[in-house]
Amino acid sequence: MCGILGFATLGNLQETKESFSNALSLLAHRGPDFSSFVQDKNIFLGHTRLSIIDLDRRSHQPMHFQEKYTLIFNGEIYNYKEVRAELQTQGYHFKTHGDAEVLLCAYDFWGEKCVEHFNGMWAFAIYDKFKNILFCSRDRFGEKPFFYYKDEEKFIFASEIKAILPFLKTIKANVPAMIPFIVRGNIDCYKNETFFKDIYRLNPSQNMVVDLEILALCKSNYYAIKPQEVSLKNPALALRELLEDSIRLRLRSDVPIGSCLSGGLDSSCVNALIARLNPNKNNFVAIHAKSTLKENDESQYAKRVAESLGVELCIVEPSKQDYLDNLEAVMLAQDEPFGSTSLYMQYLVMQKARELGIKVMFDGQGADEIFLGYEHYFKYIYKELQEKGKDECFFQNLKKFRYSNEAILNGLDGVEDFEIAFSRILKGSNIKAKYLSKEDLCELFGYTDFPSFNRQVIMQMGLQSLLRFEDRDSMAFGVESRLPYLDSRIVDFVLNLSVEVKFQGGYLKYLLRKACEDLLPADIIWRYNKLGFESPQRYWFDDLREEMKEAINHSKIIQEIFIKPDIREDNFLWRLFNIAKWEKLYKVEL
């Protein structure tokens, strides 16, 4: 896990050598173990290394393959041993024991199709000297970041936006990308654009070839979640086998590992599978972030899980002062605004992991999106079952929980009718009409059918924000985060199962519960209330509320977007405050 930075120009490269070195140092937190960069013709390639597999200097990057290619790579190819064995049968010989050299040899053998053979997370660039191109790629679901900027003279790419900004004359706001964030809290979803004007994301599952002669870009998609028929007598057993193999691959590490443990279903299942499969059981710690507010406190569940599995549990309890002390640090780590203070809990978990000497942390990100874990999915599930004529027991199953028919039916009016949703946004937001594009918002939030909605949430919307938080929070402390639910074999399998397989007896994530029910106590597996790493936001805001409103009132960006912002609740207050602070911290202009 590392930081990557590249700079190609049609002008004089030497003029930017010192600037490049300084920009690379802005990624030192991502790779505190080693840093270096190389120059060739009109390109700089830089890398900061976090040593996880093959700790020897022979695996440092930039890495060269003969006189043909140079690689800078952020991520892990979990099945590198299997790919290496396949390449050895083709006559390849290896000098290292890591995955970077495997990646290079795979590119030499399969070309751009090499990524189709990888099980992992990655953002990399290969400088192909013979073709005079950069071959860039980002993993299937966007676990690892890849940002870029291009004008007529230069092309720049990096793991984080902060390493691109020093090369720009001015830093300007991209207002259209902010609107989904303001109206619904959604980020990392507006096309492939960021909050910074002219800085873009390479999308998940995308390759990009850069012609270094003229700096032309050509993108292509190498993966999509495709609908296909899946019919099995025991889907839970099939899922269990996939989960175990995903964990087995991700346990490959030459450094200590740990895991987040909220006490909820997703992280509990991950910890249970690790406890079952980890050969180094004594070299493992689970970390829990405890809320200071009783209604958000899940520590009793985390303790119950840890005791049942026989794993060591470390509990951190962030105070209001911790939040205030880290406010700007987290904002700077994220580079762009974010919609929830809950990521502060994750940030401090990763800080604790580093203090304990843990360089690899497992987490349960992706399970809610894959297995149907959010309560707002009820209306989509109901609609899907209704269209199939299988809705007769939907309400009956939910009655044993805290839901009423009336509460669910009241939530169904927005499933198809985007016109209603848009009129509410138009009336209630006070955003200037020129910034409210019905077409853009409908493309993001309009409902067609449940399978396409489910794929969109994973590849374009909610999950993308969570993966950004995960990456920045962990890498701020030089910790690699591994997400076993995002093995593409699991995603392909589960998303092609019918809704009624995944939602049974009123239980969201029924299939995951069933697959792991022998690993954990029943009161954990069949627990229904869901909190996650929730922050005591209301309590934290007490000392900041007036300061937040003052920052909003002084924001030129917010003044430009709103007729007058109507701040009625804390989440909206937080989003606008985030924009105002981001504007000031990064000196963003309109």
Side-chain angles (χ1 to χ4, degrees), residues 228-234 496-497:
Q228 58 189 23
E229 283 294 323
V230 176
S231 180
L232 288 172
K233 288 184 179 179
N234 194 338
N496 280 293
L497 294 171

Side-chain angles (χ1 to χ4, degrees), residues 464-532:
Q464 294 307 306
S465 302
L466 297 176
L467 294 180
R468 193 242 286 186
F469 304 158
E470 185 86 33
D471 175 82
R472 303 311 185 282
D473 279 350
S474 59
M475 295 308 295
F477 301 102
V479 173
E480 174 177 294
S481 183
R482 296 185 175 182
L483 310 176
Y485 293 121
L486 290 180
D487 188 306
S488 61
R489 297 170 299 171
I490 293 173
V491 178
D492 286 337
F493 173 69
V494 176
L495 260 68
N496 280 293
L497 294 171
S498 63
V499 166
E500 51 267 37
V501 172
K502 292 173 278 192
F503 175 76
Q504 295 184 39
Y507 279 99
L508 296 165
K509 293 190 282 197
Y510 175 85
L511 184 63
L512 178 60
R513 298 173 195 268
K514 198 68 181 171
C516 297
E517 68 176 337
D518 64 318
L519 297 175
L520 290 159
D523 58 333
I524 296 296
I525 281 289
W526 300 106
R527 174 188 161 207
Y528 212 83
N529 61 319
K530 173 185 174 61
L531 293 176

Side-chain angles (χ1 to χ4, degrees), residues 60 123 340 381 464 500 588:
H60 286 345
S340 170
I381 293 169
Q464 294 307 306
E500 51 267 37
V588 183

